[in-house]
Amino acid sequence: ESDRDDILAADIERIIGNHSFYSVYDIVNVEVKDKNLMLTGAVTVPYKKTSFVQAIRKKMGDSLKEIINKIEVLPPSANDDKIRYLIARKIYNDVRLLRYSTQKWPYPIHIIVRNGHVELVGTVKNMMDKRLIESKARDVNGLISIRNNLEIVS
């Protein structure tokens, strides 16, 4: 049963990762247990939360018993939008971080901004990249704090 759940989770992660609304400013976590799906994470606008579930239902059909959608919709904020954009631009335009800008799915680095508080989520190749990305993010004016949750995966 757990092998089947792992396969379902991988399929669902692909559906979300390939969804046209999914971006570096969103993060969706998938957990499947006994064919019950739990979605967590954060998205920038409400329609993404519902659209992801619709896409999963359409593609997965009766493979799932239940979908529990605990995805948070981030509060709308022009300042947060500006912070997101500026951090992404600094990270994805840096020649030293080029390997991350050429990868679409899964997005290696997600920039979650909630009322000026920034969380960096995803995977990087080494500690130097992790520190450089955080440094780039810290250069942006208007943010209150940064939590660097980037994982190193070689």
Side-chain angles (χ1 to χ4, degrees), residues 99-116:
R99 72 174 133 241
Y100 303 108
S101 64
T102 57
Q103 186 177 338
K104 194 231 179 258
W105 186 88
Y107 289 110
I109 303 163
H110 295 265
I111 303 153
I112 309 305
V113 183
R114 191 181 286 103
N115 299 318

Side-chain angles (χ1 to χ4, degrees), residues 27-28 37 51 82 108 121:
I27 188 74
V28 177
L37 170 62
S51 185
K82 183 179 96 179
V121 183

Side-chain angles (χ1 to χ4, degrees), residues 94 96-97 127-136:
D94 189 302
R96 295 166 294 179
L97 300 169
M127 182 57 79
M128 194 166 79
D129 287 355
K130 179 176 178 169
R131 289 185 179 142
L132 179 58
I133 289 164
E134 181 175 340
S135 170
K136 291 277 175 195

Side-chain angles (χ1 to χ4, degrees), residues 55-135:
I56 291 165
R57 281 204 173 106
K58 182 178 178 185
K59 294 224 167 87
M60 300 305 292
D62 294 334
S63 302
L64 296 167
K65 291 180 191 171
E66 185 179 9
I67 300 175
I68 301 155
N69 191 350
K70 292 191 173 185
I71 297 172
E72 171 192 4
V73 177
L74 297 166
S77 162
N79 188 54
D80 285 355
D81 289 343
K82 183 179 96 179
I83 291 169
R84 280 182 198 101
Y85 170 76
L86 291 174
I87 291 174
R89 201 169 88 186
K90 283 182 172 282
I91 292 169
Y92 288 109
N93 286 338
D94 189 302
V95 69
R96 295 166 294 179
L97 300 169
L98 192 60
R99 72 174 133 241
Y100 303 108
S101 64
T102 57
Q103 186 177 338
K104 194 231 179 258
W105 186 88
Y107 289 110
I109 303 163
H110 295 265
I111 303 153
I112 309 305
V113 183
R114 191 181 286 103
N115 299 318
H117 298 277
V118 175
E119 181 180 9
L120 301 171
V121 183
T123 58
V124 293
K125 299 284 183 206
N126 54 54
M127 182 57 79
M128 194 166 79
D129 287 355
K130 179 176 178 169
R131 289 185 179 142
L132 179 58
I133 289 164
E134 181 175 340
S135 170

